Amino acid sequence: MAEQENKGIGEVKIASDVVAVIAGLAATEVDGVYAMAGNITNELIGKLGKKNLSKGVKVQMEAGVVHVDMMINVRYGYNIPKVSEQVQDRVSQQIETMTGLCVAEVNVRVAGVNLSSE
């Protein structure tokens, strides 16, 4: 699904996959986020060397409004509610800045806690 906007000289279409990649990248920029989490298929693709930047992100777009559902893994020792709130703010800001679309909600599910000392 793509969101379409008509500008005087032509039209601009933004695919939901593009918004998902923006959301995934924005989330991983937040301190305390270890990685995006995803289903087993995405995990296998990642292990095979194909990087999936939208892993763990589901985007729904309707009439210029975006709804994002995402799953993250948090680093051990970080405040989960605080990290989740920062992810919501960062993802919303980046999508709105880069696409001009309105973000109605960013739902964050914490799928795990990473215990490694990386």
Side-chain angles (χ1 to χ4, degrees):
M1 172 141 97
E3 190 60 40
Q4 182 174 317
E5 188 176 332
N6 196 351
K7 301 271 186 186
I9 58 173
E11 62 186 23
V12 175
K13 293 183 181 181
I14 301 172
S16 59
D17 289 350
V18 171
V19 177
V21 168
I22 293 168
L25 286 171
T28 57
E29 291 174 351
V30 173
D31 193 30
V33 174
Y34 177 73
M36 299 302 298
N39 62 32
I40 191 67
T41 304
N42 285 335
E43 298 296 333
L44 289 173
I45 289 171
K47 288 180 180 173
L48 294 174
K50 295 182 179 180
K51 194 167 184 179
N52 185 355
L53 296 174
S54 61
K55 177 175 78 169
V57 182
K58 180 182 171 192
V59 173
Q60 293 179 325
M61 296 191 305
E62 187 176 313
V65 178
V66 179
H67 300 269
V68 180
D69 293 301
M70 58 190 346
M71 293 192 305
I72 62 171
N73 289 323
V74 176
R75 293 183 188 278
Y76 177 77
Y78 283 82
N79 181 305
I80 292 173
K82 185 176 179 181
V83 169
S84 298
E85 184 178 341
Q86 290 173 342
V87 167
Q88 289 172 315
D89 291 343
R90 179 76 177 159
V91 168
S92 176
Q93 175 192 29
Q94 287 296 88
I95 291 172
E96 289 179 356
T97 299
M98 294 183 72
T99 67
L101 299 170
C102 176
V103 178
E105 62 184 3
V106 177
N107 299 311
V108 177
R109 179 185 306 162
V110 177
V113 175
N114 184 276
L115 301 174
S116 70
S117 60
E118 291 180 17

